[in-house]
Amino acid sequence: MKAVDHATAGTLVFDATLLPLPEHPGHHLILHPPGTDTQQRLEELMRRRSLVAAHPG
């Protein structure tokens, strides 16, 4: 598990999934998918950003 303190969204919590890389013994890929509350907070941040971001075109 990994936690990140965000100035706007608060504490964001991510799980950890470790995947072995068979082609590279001893190496792993670590994924940090967001927990449920964190997923909702990230989606809200993205919605807010899309409201203020200039779209080219």
Side-chain angles (χ1 to χ4, degrees), residues 16-43:
T17 302
L18 186 69
L19 302 173
L21 299 173
E23 301 83 18
H24 303 283
H27 292 216
H28 298 84
L29 175 66
I30 303 173
L31 303 176
H32 291 283
T36 303
D37 290 342
T38 295
Q39 177 71 34
Q40 293 169 351
R41 291 178 186 189
L42 290 172
E43 288 173 2

Side-chain angles (χ1 to χ4, degrees), residues 4-24:
V4 176
D5 288 322
H6 187 275
T8 305
T11 301
L12 303 174
V13 178
F14 298 86
D15 297 322
T17 302
L18 186 69
L19 302 173
L21 299 173
E23 301 83 18
H24 303 283

